[in-house]
Amino acid sequence: MHAKIPPLPNLLDCADLTPQLVASLFDRAQHWLGSWGQPLADSETSKQPTVRPRPLERPLAGLVQHNLFFENSTRTSVSFDQAGKLLGSSVSAVNMAASSLSKGESLYDTLMTLAAMRPQLVVIRHAASGAAAFAAQHLPDVALINAGDGRHGHPTQALLDAFTIQQNKGALTNLSIAIVGDILHSRVARSNLYLLQMLGAQVRLVAPPQLLPAGVEQLGASVHHDLASGLADVDVVMVLRMQEERMGGSFIASRADYFAGYVLTHQRLAVAKPDAIVMHPGPFLRDVDIASELADDPARSVILAQVEHGVAIRMAVLERCALSREWIAP
Amino acid sequence: MMPNPILTHNAHLLCAASGLNGLGWVLSEQGVIRALGHGEAPADLLAQPDLAKVDGRGHHLIPGLVDALTLAWPWQVARPPEDAASFLAARQAGGIAVAAIAASPAQPIDDLASLQAALFNLPTNQDAHSPATPLLINLTKGGGGQQLAELHRLLDAVPSGHIAGVADLSANAASLGLLQRAWMQAGALGLTVHHLPLEASLAAGTEAIAGEMATRLGLAGLWPAAEAVTLARDFALLAAVLPTVPRLRYHAALVTTAGGVAAVRAAKAQGLPVTAATAPPYFLLNDLALSGKNVGNNGSDFDSAAKLFPPLASEGDRLAVVAGLADGTIDVIVSAHQPVSLDDKRQPFGLAAVGISALETVLPLSLSLHHQHGLPLPTLLAKLTDAPARLLGLNRGRLQIGCPADYRLLDLHRGWQIQAARLHSRCQSTPFEGALVQGVLVG
């Protein structure tokens, strides 16, 4: 009955995915979810800790994984680190931002040097769009996973976002999802735009015109310049961080001015569906991109669930890449 | 340069400036054309037993090309991406007799030291009257648009002809006020202003033309209207200062968009002293080349060989550039050769250097305008020879008695495949890797 799942030798971009692959990754993420950490109380039914299974399997035992973060990161870096270790791979996490590149070595030479240590799995984050594709081109024998390249892509973030939506809303088909904020500088927006549409959702982009990239309508999204029309009747609101560090010139007048126009509050969310959920890839700026009390509202905000799901999704991706490379048995 | 007399006959002479387009012959001696004509070579010449003869049957005989824009600095000391020997070899292989070198932010020509370094490290410039590598010097100090360059001192320092114009070819950084004063100065000295029509604040930090491709790849986009908006401003300024400095000439160094072509067309219709150039990537490629899927590269996204400045634009822009070449709006085709090292290109797209090895491909790529778009051969050839020579103020690019005998024999139809690894230039980065072209120089 099971159709053969397409291979995923690298994950550079959401274009490497198919609905079938995504479904298999979600299945495995569901399998891994709850397999680590302190048992948590089931908040609704009882105060007794729910016993969670410990991961007995270590499918990636014996594999070597390098996490190369050429750009500062906390959650994604720790998430990949934890995912690899839970699966048993030998993980070296390097903060490259403080390393040889600052000594003038080219990315090519850094990659070649690390490749000589023969890792099988390489997770890369870099400030230049195309860095993951570049690394994959020069390291064909390595399973390469893009943890964010410039403004281009962040496919595991899109997967964990879609997984979180599915956990809360069921299938994504015909859901209406608004992505709000600094679309121009956002790799999260680009990857989500691609993946959410692939899974059948309708995507709206809501931002001031100077923070929207040219031609984005041709990628299938509808575009709104104000929250009132952009959030009307949506099921999900994804808020993005204002990436001031990528704004060479003046893109917004001030944080306060952006707050006045675009910060997400309970009041502004009232035009959305009554059960609409609020997401943020983090790190979020309280009272700049999202109102503090909304970020903390358990009825609306799934921001911390996204983080937990991120580990499970990354476990599923690492495992799928290793399977596709035939380094581990199915 | 052949010192002894040599007769080339039975070739198809082609020169728009001289009105030659048919079977003919050329006699040269001491590197200069001594006689030429249509039809059979004169019987007395053919009868001379010790006169060297070349039978050009089946081939076109064309003037040596004049390239009005390269951004090569083969006099750089430390590991240049192009050295003098490779630059000359690539030029020879490409049929280019004269190649102008433009100042750039990386290699300004704005004082006596940089001017002399440029002139005297290039062996081709020993002929004081007919330099093979004329220079486009900075209009402002360092091309930075902050302070006027010392144009009088620089012009006084070298024989005329060595300085062919002024150019600040970074996205032009000058304020409107400084531009107005600098152009008046250039106009008073009879210098043509070569301008890259992209206003700096619009171009800064961009990696590709804004649009679906740049958005999909997450590249910082250059507003497609930037060129047209800058040209509109430039032409308004030109019209306003022209009554004061009637000798001022404006040359749009690279026109790459539909809006740019339309602006140049309107300026010419208005009677402004304007010329414009483009280069093969802009009439043969569009921004889909960034995906590397156009001409059979490695087929992956983010092909840094296609990282150029100005960036490759849309298909509509490309077609407008072709139309501009056909109707005469664009006068000149340049190579825009900009050698870069392998290390600088072997980077993720955003970090890769802008540049292209273009000297050896400009002729066959341009010939595709004839082969594929039906542009008449004399019209096309004029854009590679006579028009750029006029722009640079040189008596070159023509088949004429007294002109340098830099003509070449061309097999117009023979096909070949562009392979970067076989280029003579030290820079072997080209977005045309693997492209099939027609036109081989056979002599």
Side-chain angles (χ1 to χ4, degrees):
Chain A
M1 277 303 287
H2 290 289
K4 193 166 159 21
I5 297 163
L8 186 69
N10 298 310
L11 178 58
L12 306 178
D13 190 314
C14 285
D16 294 332
L17 298 167
T18 65
Q20 199 187 1
L21 256 170
V22 173
S24 80
L25 290 170
F26 284 6
D27 281 351
R28 287 306 282 173
Q30 192 72 59
H31 169 80
W32 296 117
L33 201 60
S35 69
W36 70 86
Q38 291 295 325
L40 295 177
D42 188 326
S43 56
E44 297 301 319
T45 54
S46 93
K47 294 295 174 192
Q48 292 304 307
T50 309
V51 178
R52 292 188 169 199
R54 311 300 303 176
L56 298 173
E57 324 150 58
R58 300 278 181 191
L60 300 192
L63 296 188
V64 175
Q65 175 182 341
H66 286 180
N67 294 350
L68 311 180
F69 280 69
F70 293 90
E71 212 181 34
N72 287 323
S73 159
T74 305
R75 72 203 63 216
T76 307
S77 162
V78 172
S79 182
F80 269 111
D81 198 46
Q82 183 174 326
K85 284 173 176 160
L86 286 170
L87 293 173
S89 77
S90 167
V91 182
S92 299
V94 195
N95 176 8
M96 304 301 295
S99 184
S100 45
L101 232 68
S102 56
K103 296 172 192 157
E105 188 175 64
S106 74
L107 177 60
Y108 175 81
D109 287 324
T110 303
L111 290 172
M112 287 298 137
T113 302
L114 291 165
M117 299 178 201
R118 298 168 47 79
Q120 283 111 333
L121 297 151
V122 169
V123 176
I124 184 169
R125 165 170 291 193
H126 196 285
S129 297
F134 177 83
Q137 186 189 342
H138 292 288
L139 303 176
D141 300 328
V142 164
L144 235 135
I145 294 153
N146 183 4
D149 64 325
R151 309 172 176 195
H152 167 243
H154 194 354
T156 58
Q157 177 72 43
L159 281 166
L160 76 88
D161 288 340
F163 183 69
T164 303
I165 295 170
Q166 196 194 55
Q167 296 279 310
N168 284 275
K169 299 278 172 195
L172 274 75
T173 319
N174 296 326
L175 288 185
S176 187
I177 301 172
I179 305 178
V180 180
D182 181 2
I183 313 283
L184 180 67
H185 297 102
S186 176
R187 53 193 171 216
V188 175
R190 282 169 177 77
S191 281
N192 264 310
L193 179 57
Y194 193 96
L195 185 69
L196 297 175
Q197 292 188 107
M198 186 210 280
L199 299 177
Q202 285 155 3
V203 180
R204 305 176 186 184
L205 303 176
V206 189
Q210 69 273 22
L211 290 177
L212 283 161
V216 76
E217 301 88 344
Q218 289 155 280
L219 302 182
S222 63
V223 167
H224 300 261
H225 295 151
D226 63 281
L227 289 176
S229 71
L231 300 189
D233 296 320
V234 297
D235 300 283
V236 179
V237 184
M238 256 183 212
V239 185
L240 301 173
R241 183 174 63 89
M242 184 58 51
Q243 301 196 40
E244 288 170 293
E245 76 278 13
R246 293 186 210 270
M247 295 183 186
S250 172
F251 282 83
I252 56 167
S254 64
R255 284 185 171 194
D257 189 64
Y258 183 79
F259 180 91
Y262 291 94
V263 73
L264 190 65
T265 60
H266 277 106
Q267 193 190 352
R268 284 174 167 160
L269 194 59
V271 297
K273 291 214 177 115
D275 60 347
I277 56 168
V278 173
M279 307 173 72
H280 197 300
F284 63 87
L285 300 173
R286 285 179 188 268
D287 294 334
V288 176
D289 26 61
I290 187 163
S292 192
E293 61 278 13
L294 181 56
D296 294 334
D297 178 354
R300 294 291 199 171
S301 167
V302 296
I303 294 173
L304 294 177
Q306 287 174 270
V307 178
E308 183 180 3
H309 295 159
V311 177
I313 281 288
R314 285 167 182 131
M315 291 171 80
V317 167
L318 290 166
E319 184 187 36
R320 174 57 53 194
C321 288
L323 271 169
S324 302
R325 296 270 181 173
E326 298 182 353
W327 291 328
I328 59 176
Chain B
M1 184 190 299
M2 293 293 222
N4 294 324
I6 184 162
L7 175 70
T8 308
H9 64 132
N10 294 329
H12 185 121
L13 304 194
L14 193 59
C15 174
S18 314
L20 295 167
N21 188 4
L23 196 69
W25 57 276
V26 178
L27 178 71
S28 67
E29 188 181 4
Q30 301 287 344
V32 175
I33 296 175
R34 298 296 184 197
L36 53 75
H38 269 140
E40 292 284 323
D44 59 324
L45 283 178
L46 289 171
Q48 284 180 29
D50 35 350
L51 175 62
K53 301 181 188 72
V54 173
D55 190 340
R57 198 177 307 266
H59 301 317
H60 285 77
L61 189 149
I62 61 172
L65 306 192
V66 178
D67 187 352
L69 179 62
T70 70
L71 295 118
W73 312 287
W75 60 87
Q76 278 180 333
V77 185
R79 299 196 69 243
E82 192 85 276
D83 59 28
S86 67
F87 185 65
L88 293 181
R91 260 178 41 181
Q92 174 70 16
I96 297 169
V98 177
I101 290 182
S104 81
Q107 199 65 46
I109 309 174
D110 61 351
D111 60 17
L112 290 177
S114 53
L115 177 65
Q116 305 224 325
L119 282 178
F120 297 107
N121 289 317
L122 290 170
T124 50
N125 274 354
Q126 300 308 319
D127 178 354
H129 301 294
S130 189
T133 314
L135 301 174
L136 300 171
I137 63 171
N138 281 115
L139 179 61
T140 64
K141 272 276 180 194
Q146 302 294 316
Q147 188 188 344
L148 295 176
E150 296 178 307
L151 298 181
H152 289 95
R153 291 185 71 197
L154 295 174
L155 284 169
D156 280 350
V158 293
S160 67
H162 284 286
I163 294 176
V166 282
D168 282 355
L169 291 179
S170 54
N172 67 70
S175 71
L176 200 48
L178 189 91
L179 216 51
Q180 181 235 359
R181 292 187 286 277
W183 288 11
M184 301 251 263
Q185 178 70 87
L189 291 165
L191 289 167
T192 300
V193 172
H194 294 236
H195 230 217
L196 189 68
L198 285 172
E199 207 276 325
S201 66
L202 294 173
T206 59
E207 301 165 324
I209 203 82
E212 185 184 343
M213 177 60 84
T215 294
R216 192 167 69 74
L217 297 181
L219 300 173
L222 171 69
W223 186 35
E227 183 177 278
V229 170
T230 309
L231 282 169
R233 178 202 68 174
D234 285 359
F235 293 148
L237 179 59
L238 177 66
V241 299
L242 212 53
T244 313
V245 280
R247 291 166 71 205
L248 180 62
R249 298 288 177 270
Y250 179 99
H251 174 65
L254 283 170
V255 174
T256 64
T257 64
V261 174
V264 171
R265 192 177 285 127
K268 287 185 164 185
Q270 198 187 328
L272 291 173
V274 167
T275 53
T278 194
Y282 304 111
F283 57 78
L284 292 174
L285 300 177
N286 57 35
D287 62 350
L288 293 182
L290 302 191
S291 80
K293 285 162 188 156
N294 256 23
V295 278
N297 262 1
N298 56 20
S300 66
D301 275 342
F302 299 108
D303 182 6
S304 66
K307 187 168 181 183
L308 306 175
F309 188 81
L312 293 170
S314 72
E315 177 63 4
D317 292 314
R318 184 188 77 81
L319 292 172
V321 171
V322 171
L325 284 160
D327 72 9
T329 301
I330 300 176
D331 312 88
V332 172
I333 296 173
V334 297
S335 74
H337 179 68
Q338 187 174 8
V340 288
S341 72
L342 172 65
D343 280 350
D344 289 341
K345 270 291 185 194
R346 195 173 57 194
Q347 295 278 358
F349 192 92
L351 298 178
V354 160
I356 178 174
S357 189
L359 292 172
E360 291 155 84
T361 54
V362 63
L363 176 60
L365 291 172
S366 298
L367 287 172
S368 69
L369 288 170
H370 169 70
H371 292 304
Q372 285 160 32
H373 293 274
L375 198 65
L377 214 43
T379 309
L380 174 60
L381 206 63
K383 295 180 194 297
L384 291 160
T385 54
D386 183 50
R390 285 175 198 273
L391 170 66
L392 300 173
L394 303 173
N395 185 26
R396 301 292 292 256
R398 284 148 223 176
L399 298 177
Q400 255 170 24
I401 292 170
C403 280
D406 55 20
Y407 49 81
R408 303 291 293 269
L409 282 173
L410 170 70
D411 184 335
L412 183 63
H413 296 291
R414 197 199 299 176
W416 59 288
Q417 185 177 38
I418 295 175
Q419 290 172 285
R422 300 184 66 172
L423 297 176
H424 295 75
S425 168
R426 282 186 59 176
C427 171
Q428 302 194 321
S429 175
T430 169
F432 295 105
E433 173 70 9
L436 297 169
V437 290
Q438 280 178 279
V440 175
L441 292 167
V442 295

